[in-house]
Amino acid sequence: MNPPETPSGKGKAVSVKPQTVLVVGPTGNVGPHALAQLLEAGVAARALVPPGDPAVARIPDGTEVFEGDLADPESLVPALDGVTGVFLMWPFFTLDVSTAPAVLEVISRYTGRVVFVSSIGVHIGLEPVDNNCHAYLEQQIEKAGLTWTFLQTTGFACNALGWAGQLDGGDVVRFPYGGAVRTPVHEADLAAVGVRALTEDGHENRRYVVTGPEPLSQAEQLRIIGAAAGRELAWAEVAHDAARQAMVGAGWPPAYADGALEYFATLVEAPETRTDTVAEVLGRPARTFRDWAEEHADRFRRGAA
Ligand SMILES: NC(=O)c1ccc[n+]([C@@H]2O[C@H](COP(=O)([O-])OP(=O)(O)OC[C@H]3O[C@@H](n4cnc5c(N)ncnc54)[C@H](OP(=O)(O)O)[C@@H]3O)[C@@H](O)[C@H]2O)c1
């Protein structure tokens, strides 16, 4: 994990009121960074974990841990009592979990302030409200009368960890659309933008499109990982239909798999656009994919598994 960042207050009023922030989704890729950064900023940090969650080891010391289930909105009450803001992740692909409006109503009883990790798919119109959680959640958060900041994020750098299993058995990654150019964002930078939005004034009701600093094709990302891990790695293209079959077989909802693959197909011809949001909000350059690869090189070294 990267060193946490404290708010600089660069040109903005920093609230001096004591703050308590609940992180919903604390054991994923973003949540542990958000908690560490909140604690470093002197904010009381709380984590909501599903009952019996085995992943609590990822939660930094000093965090107050509460059990609660997003499928059971009233179970969030103890975690929310006394908070000044919520760093919200909605960990469901589809609208099958229909408790979002009730969860937002419970949140609004305790605080008016929410930062939500959304998706760049909403920004580019790829994700219609009726079958996608990010677009739907944005709509419901606005409807609930909360003061929000939406982090419409591109793909995380850590999505590349999805290739690690293949690389344990050889030097080739078999995956679709090696030429698709994205702008991967370091999870710690995304968390830092969210923490700033919750702890500084001036980020209210803003949609931030959050990307990394450089457009990189998937094959280029793999080359960077190889350089960091001291290996020569190769990309082997998997056809669209075969990839779809594999994704659906691995549990992706078919509509979501189609959306992702169609988006990747477009990115071969028209690279994803990078933004300067991270640098503008944090007052320093965004971390590069090379930074991320060097931090995670051990996982990609030969014999790492
Ligand atoms: N990866 C990307 O490229 C990308 C791109 C755009 C947007 N996003 C968004 O980014 C968000 C954060 O991603 P992430 O990778 O940090 O997190 P994640 O892997 O989606 O983790 C989800 C978190 O939610 C918790 N959770 C799951 N079910 C729950 C329930 N019923 N009640 C309460 N908590 C529950 C998980 O706990 P357990 O560990 O116990 O399951 C975990 O802490 C995602 O939700 C996604 O919407 C991701």
Side-chain angles (χ1 to χ4, degrees):
M1 187 175 301
N2 294 289
E5 299 181 46
T6 51
S8 69
K10 253 179 171 245
K12 291 176 183 159
V14 177
S15 172
V16 290
K17 291 191 299 274
Q19 296 184 74
T20 302
V21 168
L22 175 67
V23 176
V24 176
T27 59
N29 296 296
V30 179
H33 290 293
L35 287 167
Q37 292 171 17
L38 287 164
L39 291 165
E40 182 68 16
V43 175
R46 294 184 179 182
L48 183 88
V49 298
D53 190 335
V56 284
R58 300 199 67 196
I59 293 175
D61 289 346
T63 305
E64 212 180 342
V65 178
F66 290 81
E67 286 196 348
D69 184 350
L70 291 167
D72 174 11
E74 291 300 326
S75 71
L76 273 64
V77 165
L80 285 166
D81 193 6
V83 300
T84 53
V86 173
F87 194 126
L88 177 66
M89 282 159 282
W90 192 258
F92 311 111
F93 272 129
T94 66
L95 299 182
D96 293 350
V97 178
S98 58
T99 49
V103 165
L104 296 169
E105 190 279 317
V106 176
I107 289 173
S108 70
R109 280 185 229 154
Y110 294 92
T111 178
R113 190 71 181 98
V114 166
V115 164
F116 172 56
V117 179
S118 182
S119 167
I120 199 169
V122 181
H123 171 66
I124 60 178
L126 191 74
E127 300 190 347
V129 170
D130 57 354
N131 70 356
N132 179 269
C133 281
H134 299 114
Y136 177 73
L137 259 285
E138 285 195 14
Q139 189 195 58
Q140 294 302 314
I141 288 168
E142 286 190 273
K143 225 166 137 179
L146 293 157
T147 300
W148 45 265
T149 309
F150 296 148
L151 309 183
Q152 295 179 326
T153 179
T154 184
F156 301 167
C158 67
N159 291 349
L161 287 170
W163 301 330
Q166 292 191 43
L167 294 172
D168 291 335
D171 294 328
V172 179
V173 163
R174 292 179 176 77
F175 209 70
Y177 297 114
V181 178
R182 294 207 81 179
T183 50
V185 65
H186 195 303
E187 311 73 71
D189 279 353
L190 177 64
V193 172
V195 167
R196 285 292 181 90
L198 281 165
T199 54
E200 288 180 348
D201 295 332
H203 304 284
E204 296 83 2
N205 296 347
R206 304 282 305 272
R207 286 183 165 82
Y208 287 136
V209 180
V210 184
T211 76
E214 55 189 340
L216 289 169
S217 72
Q218 299 201 90
E220 284 167 334
Q221 292 172 41
L222 183 65
R223 265 195 297 280
I224 290 170
I225 288 170
R231 294 173 69 179
E232 185 99 5
L233 302 177
W235 185 275
E237 197 63 20
V238 171
H240 186 113
D241 290 348
R244 181 184 190 277
Q245 212 177 342
M247 288 162 84
V248 172
W252 284 55
Y256 212 85
D258 287 338
L261 286 167
E262 280 156 25
Y263 182 49
F264 272 71
T266 66
L267 294 178
V268 176
E269 302 301 330
E272 199 170 67
T273 307
R274 60 170 279 274
T275 68
D276 291 323
T277 304
V278 171
E280 284 167 4
V281 173
L282 302 183
R284 53 115 178 122
R287 292 172 172 94
T288 63
F289 188 78
R290 192 176 310 277
D291 292 334
W292 182 92
E294 283 167 3
E295 288 163 26
H296 294 81
D298 285 350
R299 178 61 192 93
F300 293 100
R301 287 192 215 288
R302 206 180 295 281

